[in-house]
């Protein structure tokens, strides 16, 4: 194969098979870029949110916010690779990342000194992530096993994150006990694939 062969002329069986399954690959890439961008923006904003969990009450919440923050970075890394395998790309300009994100920016709330306001922002972000990854799972089920596998692993962790914040806000039990180490990502860390 000529080294000069253009990227769009290459035979990519891994993409062809997805196309043959009836999936619109461009639509999938678009969805994945938006969902992946949301993971990155969330990781960024969670850094600020976690930083503002201060005082006696905030201290107990830092670790759990940190787990959710670091796991979002893992989600970004896990799905970025898939975007490129499929022939897509992430925005080359960092400024566009938040603009294309599938979820609203989880800004630091005005009255952040009440940690509950921060927990509510975290909860909403997790709920958006669940909807987004669930849509990816529905799109790819039975059609693109690799994207499905990655998306369902992310989805499982997002469901855990939602349950953690629901428990902290409303006392609804989540079965949570601390990760083995911060941001473990039991299903999304490298080596778990
Ligand atoms: Fe995430
Ligand atoms: Fe999350």
């Amino acid at each position: 194969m000529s080294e000069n062969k253009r990227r769009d002329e290459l035979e990519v069986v891994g993409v062809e098979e997805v196309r043959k399954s009836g999936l619109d690959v461009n639509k999938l890439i678009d969805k994945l870029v938006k969902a992946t961008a949301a993971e990155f923006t969330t990781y960024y904003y969670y850094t600020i949110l976690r930083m503002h969990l201060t005082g006696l009450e905030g201290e107990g919440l830092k670790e759990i916010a940190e787990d959710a923050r670091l796991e979002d970075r893992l989600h970004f890394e896990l799905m970025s690779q898939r975007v490129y395998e499929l022939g897509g790309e992430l925005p080359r300009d960092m400024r566009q990342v938040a603009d294309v994100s599938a979820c609203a920016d989880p800004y630091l709330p005005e009255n952040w000194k009440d940690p509950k306001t921060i927990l509510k922002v975290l909860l909403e972000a997790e709920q958006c992530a669940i909807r987004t990854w669930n849509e990816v799972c529905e799109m790819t089920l039975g059609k693109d096993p690799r994207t499905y596998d990655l998306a369902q692993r992310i989805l499982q962790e997002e469901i855990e994150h939602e349950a953690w914040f629901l428990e902290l806000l409303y006392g609804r039990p989540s079965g949570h006990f601390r990760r083995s180490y911060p941001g473990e990502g039991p299903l999304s860390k490298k080596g778990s694939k």
Side-chain angles (χ1 to χ4, degrees):
M1 187 178 293
S2 156
E3 267 184 56
N4 296 326
K5 208 158 188 169
R6 284 180 28 213
R7 217 164 61 152
D8 55 5
E9 292 171 344
L10 293 171
E11 184 192 25
V12 187
V13 176
V15 176
E16 268 322 298
E17 290 301 307
V18 173
R19 198 165 276 132
K20 273 203 273 180
S21 75
L23 201 61
D24 182 333
V25 174
N26 289 333
K27 219 170 127 188
L28 176 64
I29 289 171
D30 185 59
K31 183 87 188 156
L32 292 181
V33 167
K34 289 173 178 165
T36 305
E39 295 295 336
F40 192 83
T41 49
T42 307
Y43 166 68
Y44 176 81
Y45 284 109
Y46 276 26
T47 307
I48 297 166
L49 295 173
R50 193 215 61 201
M51 211 68 78
H52 287 79
L53 288 165
T54 60
L56 283 178
E57 232 189 314
E59 190 59 31
L61 303 171
K62 274 180 189 165
E63 184 173 333
I64 205 160
E66 179 70 350
D67 282 335
R69 182 181 85 96
L70 294 176
E71 289 183 6
D72 277 355
R73 193 181 72 192
L74 292 178
H75 299 166
F76 168 74
E77 286 169 1
L78 196 65
M79 202 52 91
S80 295
Q81 177 186 346
R82 188 65 185 137
V83 167
Y84 285 86
E85 282 175 0
L86 287 166
E89 60 175 20
L90 298 178
R92 291 192 188 184
D93 186 340
M94 173 74 191
R95 287 161 192 82
Q96 289 172 9
V97 176
D99 287 340
V100 303
S101 167
C103 297
D105 301 54
Y107 292 122
L108 181 70
E110 276 302 314
N111 44 344
W112 59 265
K113 284 197 173 159
D114 173 3
K116 276 202 162 61
T117 62
I118 293 184
L119 289 173
K120 281 181 184 158
V121 172
L122 291 164
L123 176 63
E124 268 179 43
E126 300 302 344
Q127 290 175 332
C128 179
I130 291 175
R131 285 186 208 104
T132 304
W133 291 116
N134 203 59
E135 283 163 17
V136 174
C137 285
E138 282 173 358
M139 269 175 99
T140 54
L141 178 64
K143 293 180 177 168
D144 175 356
R146 178 154 165 77
T147 305
Y148 178 82
D149 175 64
L150 300 175
Q152 69 83 18
R153 283 195 257 159
I154 295 173
L155 176 63
Q156 290 198 51
E157 289 181 358
E158 304 298 10
I159 290 170
E160 283 189 286
H161 297 171
E162 179 194 39
W164 299 346
F165 295 126
L166 281 172
E167 176 173 325
L168 289 167
L169 272 167
Y170 306 112
R172 179 184 181 277
S174 68
H176 172 264
F177 195 67
R178 68 194 313 180
R179 294 291 200 218
S180 303
Y181 54 88
E184 180 190 4
L187 294 154
S188 63
K189 70 168 177 260
K190 279 225 157 82
S192 65
K193 56 175 167 176

